[in-house]
Amino acid sequence: METVVLLTLLVLSGGAVLFITGVVRVDVAAALVTLALAWLGLVTPVQALSGFSSSAVIAMLSVMVLGRGLDRTGVTVRIARAIVGLAGRDERRLTAAVSLVAGGISAFMQSVGATAVFLPLLLRVSSLTRVPASHLLLPVGYAATIGGTISMVGAGTLIILNDLLRQRGYVPFELFAVAPVGLPLLLIGIAFFYFFGDRVLPRREGTRLTPQEELIRNWRLPYQISYLRVPAKSPLVGKTREDVHMISGYALHLISIAEGGEIVYTPWRYTRFAAGQELSILGEDRDIERFKDDFDLEWVRAGESTANVMADPNVGFAEVIVRPYAPVIGKTLRYLEFRVTYGAEVLILLSGEEERRKDLADIPLRAGDAMVVLGRWERLRAFGTSRNFVLVTPVEGRMGVRERGAAAAVLCFAAAVALTYTGLSIPVSLLSGVIAMILLRVIPVGEVYRAIDWRTLVLIAGLLPLGIAMDTTGTAQFVADRLVGLVAGYPTLLILVAVAVLATTFSLVMSNIAATVLLVPLVLVMAGSLGLDPRGLALLTGICTSNSFLLPTHPVNALLMGPGGYRNRDYLVAGGALTVIFIIVAVGIISLLYF
């Protein structure tokens, strides 16, 4: 064994120990690997720093910024809101629909980000429908991970795969070259949980109630919101909520009015109803049915409504208390024009020991009175700094989301994808989309830098020189020759299974990006020795290093562990079956396409 090969293997082993033990952060470990290679002369100084200017780093940061632009303008939230509304309360249908969209989004967005978009929505649906969060979250998270295999920019492993191929003179894969594998993987994964979810998923409640769940249960709030459309011939046209006695006569609260694409939350009591408006109404089913029949209104499904309030993470319940000596003491809600002034609908007023849910407008407020209100978090947040009220409920909602500029964000994203078909490389095309978002003011320059996960970029840039060292020192050839000796003579299908299992195993004990950097140079050399298609074997490796379902070490799995109340055993049961299915499907399709 040559000295340079031995030294490279020592650096490789040391890096693997750092990744597995977690003694230092993964980005620090990657930087140490790069420095060790340079100190030992295994790579030149230029090669040691080449990772920071690589196509993989540019593509990855561009995906992060594009995803943030779509998220910031509310595009992803709108999609999520519509899907949750259309799917309704059926557990299997809801899980399948959300999983399909989360997988589709993660084809162009980091899987952690795609999962985070749906997390608050699914937790809210879980609390309202009494479907355990443990049955909803894991299938969606797994779908987001699998969805990264639909395009060559969905998973970091595939982004870095193209860069490794380019370094070694192979033609990189086009944007959707992996879709024939990724799409079947996603659909089969969704079908698995649709038919067998009850058997492999734990049925347990979350570790504790959220503040919203506590409010709903403690105050016995009517959490069901219905959506009604006002026809032109409805007797409701031209009247106000007070004219029809919505609260006193029906015990209903008008939460929002949608008209012409615009949504007005907690509308003024003198706002008149008009034909074509969509009303979001909070109350009991029997009262809403009676109101609908009395005024000849039409049902609107939640997913088809312009304002799907209960699936909106920016809307919630809050408990507020009147401060002692507050200027509002002695004044009524009507006098204060509470809906207009504070942008919230008062559902319950507790004054002393008397709890009232009707006829609240003309009751003078007293110090210590407690109110439960519903509104947008951006308005409810103001109660926390008011000299009149104390905000008891923790503020939720998603900061930094502005539901404007969505069209420009989608246009920039679509243009970036389209550019990949004009002959431009994927990194240049995606970076063009980022610059377009900045110029069109979809996302401020300062937020661009905050959108980038620098730890991931340093991890990629720090590990790429290891791949170079394995190639230039002959280490990849050395290890590959010995692996070939073990598998030579076996059928191609068994060799593919062995590579898939090896990639899956490596992804479980270290970063999947690190696993890709280590294994791709090996399989490229092995393919040449065994007479197999090197690009096909490399693609199988890049796909299977995303097969990380068995342990909560993957970022998506870790994100869901607390909210879903999952334990290690839950990942072994649900993820174990999915891991085997993943390998079978990936090996089967890759063998048909490339071997």
Side-chain angles (χ1 to χ4, degrees):
M1 183 187 301
E2 296 183 12
T3 303
V4 289
V5 173
L6 177 61
L7 291 175
T8 304
L9 289 175
L10 288 175
V11 174
L12 172 62
S13 301
V17 170
L18 291 178
F19 284 117
I20 294 171
T21 60
V23 175
V24 295
R25 281 184 13 164
V26 291
D27 52 340
V28 176
L32 287 173
V33 168
T34 293
L35 291 174
L37 293 172
W39 291 333
L40 295 172
L42 300 173
V43 294
T44 66
V46 173
Q47 290 173 329
L49 300 177
S50 63
F52 290 95
S53 60
S54 68
S55 298
V57 168
I58 301 301
M60 178 63 81
L61 71 85
S62 298
V63 168
M64 292 175 182
V65 177
L66 290 172
R68 176 56 182 157
L70 294 174
D71 194 36
R72 185 178 188 272
T73 54
V75 173
T76 51
V77 171
R78 291 180 186 181
I79 295 173
R81 200 184 297 166
I83 292 300
V84 170
L86 285 171
R89 297 187 173 199
D90 180 78
E91 178 183 327
R92 295 202 301 175
R93 187 169 65 244
L94 175 66
T95 303
V98 176
S99 296
L100 183 62
V101 177
I105 290 176
S106 64
F108 301 99
M109 185 178 183
Q110 284 188 301
S111 56
V112 174
T115 306
V117 168
F118 286 93
L119 182 57
L121 301 176
L122 291 175
L123 289 176
R124 173 171 291 196
V125 170
S126 172
S127 66
L128 296 181
T129 61
R130 304 294 187 267
V131 174
S134 59
H135 261 220
L136 295 176
L137 299 185
L138 203 57
V140 174
Y142 283 171
T145 300
I146 297 173
T149 63
I150 294 176
S151 80
M152 294 302 297
V153 297
T157 56
L158 296 177
I159 292 176
I160 205 168
L161 169 64
N162 259 350
D163 210 58
L164 292 170
L165 289 174
R166 192 180 291 106
Q167 287 178 359
R168 286 153 182 79
Y170 293 100
V171 178
F173 290 100
E174 294 182 354
L175 184 61
F176 291 108
V178 72
V181 184
L183 281 174
L185 280 172
L186 177 61
L187 294 177
I188 291 172
I190 293 172
F192 170 72
F193 284 109
Y194 186 88
F195 291 108
F196 302 104
D198 285 336
R199 301 181 185 180
V200 299
L201 292 170
R203 182 169 287 275
R204 70 171 66 96
E205 298 293 338
T207 55
R208 61 186 177 88
L209 295 178
T210 66
Q212 291 294 288
E213 290 174 320
E214 289 181 355
L215 272 179
I216 291 171
R217 296 187 183 186
N218 292 343
W219 289 90
R220 306 183 310 280
L221 294 174
Y223 53 79
Q224 178 63 33
I225 286 188
S226 298
Y227 303 90
L228 300 173
R229 183 180 291 110
V230 182
K233 296 182 180 180
S234 170
L236 192 63
V237 174
K239 293 183 171 60
T240 67
R241 72 166 81 193
E242 293 198 347
D243 292 338
V244 298
H245 308 289
M246 282 192 70
I247 296 179
S248 60
Y250 297 91
L252 300 178
H253 295 272
L254 181 62
I255 304 304
S256 71
I257 296 178
E259 185 175 16
E262 297 293 328
I263 305 171
V264 177
Y265 285 90
T266 60
W268 193 32
R269 66 176 181 268
Y270 294 129
T271 300
R272 296 191 177 276
F273 297 110
Q277 290 177 339
E278 292 180 5
L279 314 179
S280 303
I281 300 174
L282 180 71
E284 301 294 340
D285 289 342
R286 61 180 181 276
D287 297 322
I288 293 174
E289 188 72 41
R290 186 160 54 92
F291 182 74
K292 169 190 170 292
D293 293 339
D294 288 350
F295 294 97
D296 298 328
L297 303 177
E298 300 173 349
W299 289 114
V300 180
R301 289 188 60 183
E304 299 170 355
S305 174
T306 305
N308 189 357
V309 178
M310 295 314 291
D312 189 343
N314 295 313
V315 176
F317 297 103
E319 182 180 351
V320 297
I321 297 175
V322 179
R323 290 180 182 271
Y325 311 111
V328 298
I329 293 176
K331 297 182 174 63
T332 66
L333 298 177
R334 187 190 303 276
Y335 176 84
L336 295 171
E337 296 186 336
F338 194 89
R339 294 187 187 93
V340 176
T341 304
Y342 295 98
E345 177 78 9
V346 180
L347 307 177
I348 301 174
L349 174 62
L350 178 63
S351 185
E353 296 183 355
E354 183 182 9
E355 178 184 306
R356 305 195 62 163
R357 297 176 181 246
K358 293 184 179 182
D359 302 322
L360 310 178
D362 298 313
I363 300 174
L365 296 178
R366 299 190 300 178
D369 282 358
M371 295 185 294
V372 178
V373 299
L374 175 69
R376 291 180 68 81
W377 285 111
E378 62 190 28
R379 299 299 300 273
L380 297 180
R381 195 172 284 114
F383 283 107
T385 57
S386 170
R387 59 176 181 165
N388 291 311
F389 303 100
V390 176
L391 180 62
V392 179
T393 306
V395 173
E396 298 184 11
R398 304 178 69 216
M399 298 294 291
V401 176
R402 60 179 187 92
E403 297 195 2
R404 297 187 303 275
V410 172
L411 178 63
C412 294
F413 177 77
V417 173
L419 282 175
T420 63
Y421 292 96
T422 64
L424 284 177
S425 66
I426 292 176
V428 172
S429 300
L430 297 181
L431 186 60
S432 301
V434 170
I435 299 301
M437 280 192 174
I438 295 173
L439 294 177
L440 294 177
R441 299 185 178 180
V442 171
I443 182 171
V445 176
E447 194 166 339
V448 167
Y449 293 98
R450 291 193 297 272
I452 297 172
D453 182 356
W454 295 101
R455 179 169 58 179
T456 300
L457 294 189
V458 172
L459 171 64
I460 294 174
L463 288 178
L464 281 173
L466 179 58
I468 295 174
M470 292 185 66
D471 192 34
T472 57
T473 62
T475 304
Q477 183 70 54
F478 175 83
V479 176
D481 287 344
R482 277 137 189 85
L483 291 176
V484 168
L486 294 175
V487 299
Y490 285 95
T492 300
L493 194 61
L494 288 181
I495 295 175
L496 297 182
V497 171
V499 169
V501 171
L502 184 65
T504 298
T505 304
F506 269 58
S507 71
L508 294 174
V509 297
M510 65 174 63
S511 160
N512 52 7
I513 290 176
T516 304
V517 173
L518 296 180
L519 292 176
V520 167
L522 296 180
V523 300
L524 288 175
V525 177
M526 285 177 58
S529 301
L530 295 169
L532 302 176
D533 187 332
R535 292 174 77 247
L537 203 58
L539 183 61
L540 177 63
T541 304
I543 290 172
C544 287
T545 49
S546 293
N547 188 12
S548 306
F549 309 116
L550 277 171
L551 298 173
T553 51
H554 189 277
V556 171
N557 300 349
L559 174 68
L560 301 177
M561 194 170 191
Y566 296 117
R567 301 166 186 165
N568 287 343
R569 180 181 179 278
D570 301 327
Y571 292 98
L572 290 174
V573 174
L578 189 60
T579 296
V580 173
I581 294 172
F582 190 104
I583 291 175
I584 293 173
V585 174
V587 168
I589 297 177
I590 289 291
S591 65
L592 290 175
L593 294 177
Y594 294 94
F595 301 100

